[in-house]
Short mmCIF file of all heavy atoms in Angstrom, two decimals:
data_model
loop_
_atom_site.label_atom_id
_atom_site.label_comp_id
_atom_site.label_asym_id
_atom_site.label_seq_id
_atom_site.Cartn_x
_atom_site.Cartn_y
_atom_site.Cartn_z
N SER A 1 0.83 -1.20 0.00
CA SER A 1 0.00 0.00 0.00
C SER A 1 0.87 1.25 0.00
O SER A 1 1.73 1.43 0.87
CB SER A 1 -0.91 0.01 1.24
OG SER A 1 -1.59 1.24 1.34
N ILE A 2 0.62 2.14 -0.93
CA ILE A 2 1.38 3.38 -1.01
C ILE A 2 1.08 4.29 0.18
O ILE A 2 1.91 5.11 0.59
CB ILE A 2 1.08 4.10 -2.34
CG1 ILE A 2 2.08 5.24 -2.56
CG2 ILE A 2 -0.36 4.63 -2.35
CD1 ILE A 2 1.97 5.90 -3.92
N TYR A 3 -0.11 4.10 0.78
CA TYR A 3 -0.49 4.95 1.90
C TYR A 3 0.32 4.64 3.16
O TYR A 3 0.43 5.50 4.04
CB TYR A 3 -1.99 4.81 2.19
CG TYR A 3 -2.84 5.31 1.05
CD1 TYR A 3 -3.64 4.45 0.31
CD2 TYR A 3 -2.82 6.66 0.69
CE1 TYR A 3 -4.41 4.91 -0.75
CE2 TYR A 3 -3.59 7.13 -0.37
CZ TYR A 3 -4.38 6.25 -1.08
OH TYR A 3 -5.13 6.72 -2.13
N LEU A 4 0.88 3.46 3.25
CA LEU A 4 1.77 3.14 4.36
C LEU A 4 2.98 4.07 4.34
O LEU A 4 3.39 4.60 5.38
CB LEU A 4 2.21 1.67 4.28
CG LEU A 4 3.33 1.26 5.26
CD1 LEU A 4 2.89 1.43 6.70
CD2 LEU A 4 3.74 -0.19 4.99
N TYR A 5 3.51 4.29 3.16
CA TYR A 5 4.70 5.13 3.02
C TYR A 5 4.35 6.62 3.15
O TYR A 5 5.14 7.40 3.70
CB TYR A 5 5.39 4.81 1.70
CG TYR A 5 5.72 3.33 1.60
CD1 TYR A 5 4.85 2.44 0.94
CD2 TYR A 5 6.84 2.81 2.23
CE1 TYR A 5 5.12 1.08 0.90
CE2 TYR A 5 7.12 1.45 2.18
CZ TYR A 5 6.26 0.59 1.52
OH TYR A 5 6.53 -0.75 1.49
N PHE A 6 3.18 7.00 2.67
CA PHE A 6 2.70 8.36 2.90
C PHE A 6 2.57 8.62 4.40
O PHE A 6 2.94 9.68 4.91
CB PHE A 6 1.34 8.59 2.22
CG PHE A 6 1.41 8.75 0.73
CD1 PHE A 6 0.26 8.69 -0.05
CD2 PHE A 6 2.62 8.96 0.08
CE1 PHE A 6 0.31 8.85 -1.42
CE2 PHE A 6 2.69 9.12 -1.30
CZ PHE A 6 1.54 9.05 -2.05
N HIS A 7 2.02 7.63 5.09
CA HIS A 7 1.79 7.72 6.53
C HIS A 7 3.12 7.91 7.27
O HIS A 7 3.22 8.75 8.17
CB HIS A 7 1.09 6.44 6.99
CG HIS A 7 0.76 6.41 8.45
ND1 HIS A 7 -0.05 7.34 9.06
CD2 HIS A 7 1.15 5.54 9.43
CE1 HIS A 7 -0.16 7.04 10.35
NE2 HIS A 7 0.56 5.97 10.59
N VAL A 8 4.13 7.16 6.89
CA VAL A 8 5.45 7.27 7.54
C VAL A 8 6.08 8.64 7.25
O VAL A 8 6.66 9.26 8.15
CB VAL A 8 6.37 6.13 7.05
CG1 VAL A 8 7.81 6.36 7.53
CG2 VAL A 8 5.86 4.78 7.54
N ILE A 9 5.96 9.10 6.02
CA ILE A 9 6.51 10.42 5.65
C ILE A 9 5.83 11.52 6.46
O ILE A 9 6.50 12.46 6.95
CB ILE A 9 6.33 10.67 4.14
CG1 ILE A 9 7.24 9.73 3.34
CG2 ILE A 9 6.65 12.12 3.79
CD1 ILE A 9 6.98 9.76 1.84
N ILE A 10 4.52 11.42 6.63
CA ILE A 10 3.78 12.42 7.42
C ILE A 10 4.26 12.43 8.86
O ILE A 10 4.48 13.49 9.46
CB ILE A 10 2.27 12.15 7.34
CG1 ILE A 10 1.74 12.51 5.95
CG2 ILE A 10 1.51 12.94 8.41
CD1 ILE A 10 0.30 12.13 5.72
N HIS A 11 4.46 11.25 9.44
CA HIS A 11 4.95 11.16 10.82
C HIS A 11 6.33 11.78 10.96
O HIS A 11 6.60 12.52 11.92
CB HIS A 11 4.99 9.70 11.28
CG HIS A 11 3.76 9.27 12.01
ND1 HIS A 11 3.50 9.62 13.32
CD2 HIS A 11 2.70 8.54 11.61
CE1 HIS A 11 2.34 9.11 13.69
NE2 HIS A 11 1.84 8.45 12.68
N THR A 12 7.21 11.49 10.00
CA THR A 12 8.56 12.04 10.04
C THR A 12 8.53 13.55 9.94
O THR A 12 9.20 14.26 10.70
CB THR A 12 9.41 11.46 8.88
OG1 THR A 12 9.37 10.02 8.95
CG2 THR A 12 10.85 11.92 8.99
N ALA A 13 7.73 14.07 9.01
CA ALA A 13 7.62 15.51 8.82
C ALA A 13 7.02 16.20 10.04
O ALA A 13 7.51 17.25 10.48
CB ALA A 13 6.77 15.81 7.58
N LEU A 14 5.97 15.63 10.60
CA LEU A 14 5.34 16.21 11.79
C LEU A 14 6.30 16.25 12.97
O LEU A 14 6.34 17.24 13.71
CB LEU A 14 4.08 15.43 12.16
CG LEU A 14 2.84 15.65 11.30
CD1 LEU A 14 1.75 14.66 11.68
CD2 LEU A 14 2.32 17.08 11.46
N SER A 15 7.07 15.18 13.14
CA SER A 15 8.05 15.13 14.24
C SER A 15 9.07 16.25 14.09
O SER A 15 9.42 16.93 15.06
CB SER A 15 8.75 13.77 14.27
OG SER A 15 7.82 12.73 14.50
N LEU A 16 9.55 16.45 12.88
CA LEU A 16 10.54 17.49 12.62
C LEU A 16 9.94 18.88 12.83
O LEU A 16 10.58 19.77 13.40
CB LEU A 16 11.08 17.36 11.20
CG LEU A 16 12.32 18.20 10.85
CD1 LEU A 16 13.47 17.88 11.78
CD2 LEU A 16 12.73 17.95 9.40
N ILE A 17 8.70 19.06 12.41
CA ILE A 17 8.03 20.35 12.57
C ILE A 17 7.82 20.67 14.05
O ILE A 17 8.09 21.80 14.50
CB ILE A 17 6.68 20.37 11.82
CG1 ILE A 17 6.93 20.35 10.30
CG2 ILE A 17 5.85 21.58 12.21
CD1 ILE A 17 5.67 20.12 9.48
N PHE A 18 7.34 19.70 14.81
CA PHE A 18 7.08 19.95 16.23
C PHE A 18 8.37 20.15 17.02
O PHE A 18 8.40 20.93 17.98
CB PHE A 18 6.25 18.81 16.83
CG PHE A 18 4.77 18.99 16.66
CD1 PHE A 18 4.12 18.48 15.55
CD2 PHE A 18 4.02 19.67 17.60
CE1 PHE A 18 2.75 18.65 15.37
CE2 PHE A 18 2.66 19.85 17.44
CZ PHE A 18 2.02 19.33 16.32
N LEU A 19 9.42 19.44 16.66
CA LEU A 19 10.70 19.62 17.35
C LEU A 19 11.30 20.99 17.01
O LEU A 19 11.95 21.62 17.84
CB LEU A 19 11.67 18.51 16.94
CG LEU A 19 11.34 17.11 17.46
CD1 LEU A 19 12.25 16.07 16.82
CD2 LEU A 19 11.46 17.06 18.98
N TRP A 20 11.10 21.42 15.75
CA TRP A 20 11.53 22.75 15.28
C TRP A 20 13.02 22.99 15.57
O TRP A 20 13.43 24.05 16.04
CB TRP A 20 10.68 23.84 15.92
CG TRP A 20 10.65 25.10 15.11
CD1 TRP A 20 11.21 26.30 15.42
CD2 TRP A 20 10.02 25.29 13.83
NE1 TRP A 20 10.98 27.23 14.43
CE2 TRP A 20 10.24 26.63 13.43
CE3 TRP A 20 9.29 24.44 12.99
CZ2 TRP A 20 9.77 27.14 12.23
CZ3 TRP A 20 8.83 24.95 11.79
CH2 TRP A 20 9.07 26.28 11.42
N ASP A 21 13.82 21.99 15.30
CA ASP A 21 15.27 22.09 15.48
C ASP A 21 15.92 21.15 14.48
O ASP A 21 15.85 19.92 14.63
CB ASP A 21 15.66 21.72 16.91
CG ASP A 21 17.14 21.97 17.20
OD1 ASP A 21 17.92 22.18 16.24
OD2 ASP A 21 17.53 21.95 18.39
N ILE A 22 16.57 21.71 13.46
CA ILE A 22 17.14 20.89 12.40
C ILE A 22 18.22 19.95 12.92
O ILE A 22 18.48 18.90 12.33
CB ILE A 22 17.71 21.79 11.27
CG1 ILE A 22 17.95 20.97 10.00
CG2 ILE A 22 18.96 22.51 11.74
CD1 ILE A 22 16.73 20.36 9.40
N GLN A 23 18.84 20.30 14.06
CA GLN A 23 19.87 19.44 14.64
C GLN A 23 19.28 18.14 15.20
O GLN A 23 20.03 17.19 15.45
CB GLN A 23 20.63 20.19 15.73
CG GLN A 23 21.45 21.37 15.21
CD GLN A 23 22.23 22.06 16.31
OE1 GLN A 23 22.01 21.82 17.50
NE2 GLN A 23 23.15 22.93 15.92
N LEU A 24 17.97 18.14 15.41
CA LEU A 24 17.30 16.94 15.92
C LEU A 24 16.65 16.13 14.79
O LEU A 24 15.75 15.35 15.03
CB LEU A 24 16.23 17.34 16.95
CG LEU A 24 16.73 18.07 18.20
CD1 LEU A 24 15.57 18.43 19.11
CD2 LEU A 24 17.75 17.21 18.96
N TRP A 25 17.17 16.30 13.57
CA TRP A 25 16.61 15.60 12.42
C TRP A 25 16.65 14.09 12.61
O TRP A 25 15.78 13.36 12.12
CB TRP A 25 17.39 15.96 11.15
CG TRP A 25 18.84 15.49 11.19
CD1 TRP A 25 19.91 16.20 11.61
CD2 TRP A 25 19.32 14.20 10.80
NE1 TRP A 25 21.06 15.44 11.52
CE2 TRP A 25 20.72 14.20 11.02
CE3 TRP A 25 18.73 13.05 10.28
CZ2 TRP A 25 21.53 13.10 10.75
CZ3 TRP A 25 19.53 11.95 10.01
CH2 TRP A 25 20.91 11.98 10.23
N TRP A 26 17.69 13.62 13.34
CA TRP A 26 17.84 12.18 13.52
C TRP A 26 16.70 11.60 14.37
O TRP A 26 16.33 10.43 14.21
CB TRP A 26 19.19 11.87 14.17
CG TRP A 26 19.34 12.37 15.58
CD1 TRP A 26 19.78 13.59 15.98
CD2 TRP A 26 19.01 11.64 16.77
NE1 TRP A 26 19.76 13.68 17.35
CE2 TRP A 26 19.30 12.49 17.86
CE3 TRP A 26 18.52 10.35 17.02
CZ2 TRP A 26 19.10 12.11 19.18
CZ3 TRP A 26 18.33 9.96 18.33
CH2 TRP A 26 18.62 10.83 19.40
N ILE A 27 16.12 12.42 15.26
CA ILE A 27 14.98 11.96 16.06
C ILE A 27 13.77 11.75 15.15
O ILE A 27 13.07 10.73 15.25
CB ILE A 27 14.65 12.97 17.17
CG1 ILE A 27 15.78 13.00 18.21
CG2 ILE A 27 13.32 12.62 17.84
CD1 ILE A 27 15.52 13.96 19.36
N ALA A 28 13.52 12.72 14.26
CA ALA A 28 12.41 12.58 13.32
C ALA A 28 12.61 11.36 12.43
O ALA A 28 11.66 10.61 12.15
CB ALA A 28 12.29 13.85 12.47
N ALA A 29 13.85 11.14 11.99
CA ALA A 29 14.15 9.98 11.15
C ALA A 29 13.93 8.68 11.92
O ALA A 29 13.39 7.70 11.38
CB ALA A 29 15.58 10.06 10.64
N LEU A 30 14.34 8.67 13.19
CA LEU A 30 14.16 7.48 14.03
C LEU A 30 12.68 7.19 14.26
O LEU A 30 12.25 6.03 14.21
CB LEU A 30 14.88 7.67 15.36
CG LEU A 30 14.77 6.52 16.38
CD1 LEU A 30 15.33 5.23 15.79
CD2 LEU A 30 15.49 6.89 17.67
N VAL A 31 11.91 8.25 14.51
CA VAL A 31 10.46 8.09 14.70
C VAL A 31 9.83 7.51 13.44
O VAL A 31 9.02 6.58 13.50
CB VAL A 31 9.81 9.43 15.08
CG1 VAL A 31 8.28 9.33 14.99
CG2 VAL A 31 10.22 9.86 16.47
N GLY A 32 10.21 8.05 12.28
CA GLY A 32 9.66 7.56 11.02
C GLY A 32 10.03 6.12 10.74
O GLY A 32 9.18 5.31 10.35
N LEU A 33 11.31 5.78 10.96
CA LEU A 33 11.77 4.41 10.71
C LEU A 33 11.10 3.42 11.65
O LEU A 33 10.62 2.36 11.23
CB LEU A 33 13.29 4.33 10.88
CG LEU A 33 13.93 2.95 10.70
CD1 LEU A 33 13.68 2.43 9.29
CD2 LEU A 33 15.44 3.01 10.98
N SER A 34 11.05 3.76 12.94
CA SER A 34 10.41 2.87 13.91
C SER A 34 8.92 2.72 13.62
O SER A 34 8.34 1.64 13.79
CB SER A 34 10.62 3.39 15.33
OG SER A 34 9.96 4.63 15.53
N HIS A 35 8.31 3.80 13.15
CA HIS A 35 6.89 3.74 12.82
C HIS A 35 6.64 2.78 11.67
O HIS A 35 5.67 2.01 11.68
CB HIS A 35 6.37 5.14 12.46
CG HIS A 35 4.92 5.31 12.75
ND1 HIS A 35 4.42 5.88 13.91
CD2 HIS A 35 3.81 4.96 12.03
CE1 HIS A 35 3.11 5.88 13.88
NE2 HIS A 35 2.71 5.33 12.75
N PHE A 36 7.52 2.82 10.69
CA PHE A 36 7.38 1.91 9.56
C PHE A 36 7.53 0.45 10.00
O PHE A 36 6.73 -0.41 9.62
CB PHE A 36 8.43 2.22 8.49
CG PHE A 36 8.46 1.21 7.37
CD1 PHE A 36 7.50 1.21 6.39
CD2 PHE A 36 9.46 0.23 7.34
CE1 PHE A 36 7.50 0.26 5.37
CE2 PHE A 36 9.48 -0.72 6.34
CZ PHE A 36 8.51 -0.70 5.34
N VAL A 37 8.53 0.18 10.83
CA VAL A 37 8.78 -1.19 11.29
C VAL A 37 7.59 -1.71 12.11
O VAL A 37 7.11 -2.84 11.90
CB VAL A 37 10.08 -1.25 12.13
CG1 VAL A 37 10.24 -2.63 12.77
CG2 VAL A 37 11.29 -0.93 11.26
N ILE A 38 7.10 -0.89 13.03
CA ILE A 38 5.98 -1.30 13.89
C ILE A 38 4.71 -1.50 13.07
O ILE A 38 4.00 -2.50 13.23
CB ILE A 38 5.76 -0.26 15.00
CG1 ILE A 38 6.95 -0.23 15.96
CG2 ILE A 38 4.48 -0.58 15.78
CD1 ILE A 38 6.94 0.93 16.92
N ASP A 39 4.41 -0.56 12.18
CA ASP A 39 3.21 -0.69 11.35
C ASP A 39 3.30 -1.87 10.38
O ASP A 39 2.30 -2.56 10.12
CB ASP A 39 2.98 0.60 10.55
CG ASP A 39 2.27 1.67 11.38
OD1 ASP A 39 2.28 1.54 12.62
OD2 ASP A 39 1.72 2.62 10.79
N ALA A 40 4.51 -2.11 9.86
CA ALA A 40 4.71 -3.25 8.96
C ALA A 40 4.46 -4.56 9.68
O ALA A 40 3.83 -5.48 9.14
CB ALA A 40 6.11 -3.22 8.37
N ALA A 41 4.95 -4.66 10.92
CA ALA A 41 4.72 -5.86 11.72
C ALA A 41 3.24 -6.05 12.02
O ALA A 41 2.69 -7.16 11.93
CB ALA A 41 5.52 -5.78 13.02
N LYS A 42 2.58 -4.95 12.35
CA LYS A 42 1.14 -5.01 12.64
C LYS A 42 0.36 -5.49 11.42
O LYS A 42 -0.50 -6.38 11.52
CB LYS A 42 0.65 -3.63 13.08
CG LYS A 42 -0.87 -3.54 13.26
CD LYS A 42 -1.29 -2.11 13.50
CE LYS A 42 -2.80 -1.98 13.54
NZ LYS A 42 -3.23 -0.57 13.68
N LEU A 43 0.65 -4.92 10.25
CA LEU A 43 -0.06 -5.29 9.03
C LEU A 43 0.22 -6.74 8.63
O LEU A 43 -0.65 -7.42 8.08
CB LEU A 43 0.34 -4.35 7.89
CG LEU A 43 -0.11 -2.89 8.03
CD1 LEU A 43 0.51 -2.04 6.95
CD2 LEU A 43 -1.63 -2.79 7.98
N SER A 44 1.42 -7.21 8.91
CA SER A 44 1.82 -8.57 8.51
C SER A 44 1.18 -9.64 9.39
O SER A 44 0.86 -10.73 8.90
CB SER A 44 3.34 -8.70 8.55
OG SER A 44 3.95 -7.79 7.66
N PHE A 45 1.02 -9.34 10.68
CA PHE A 45 0.56 -10.38 11.62
C PHE A 45 -0.86 -10.16 12.14
O PHE A 45 -1.40 -11.02 12.82
CB PHE A 45 1.52 -10.45 12.80
CG PHE A 45 2.93 -10.83 12.41
CD1 PHE A 45 3.94 -9.89 12.42
CD2 PHE A 45 3.23 -12.13 12.01
CE1 PHE A 45 5.24 -10.22 12.05
CE2 PHE A 45 4.52 -12.48 11.64
CZ PHE A 45 5.53 -11.52 11.65
#
């Protein structure tokens, strides 16, 4: 589903916007990556 990837991108972008600090980009990336892994596991099982 393409919406899974849209969903992850939205989470990553929102995290970065709310943090409002470009130096914390890795946190937004971690949130997005973990969200994808968790959602993928949920959808699979």
Side-chain angles (χ1 to χ4, degrees):
S1 173
I2 191 173
Y3 295 114
L4 170 62
Y5 304 96
F6 285 167
H7 181 59
V8 171
I9 291 171
I10 288 174
H11 266 284
T12 305
L14 284 172
S15 298
L16 191 58
I17 291 170
F18 273 90
L19 290 171
W20 204 249
D21 187 346
I22 196 62
Q23 294 182 348
L24 299 178
W25 65 267
W26 66 272
I27 292 181
L30 179 59
V31 168
L33 178 61
S34 65
H35 207 96
F36 172 77
V37 172
I38 294 169
D39 278 18
K42 174 188 174 184
L43 293 172
S44 299
F45 299 107

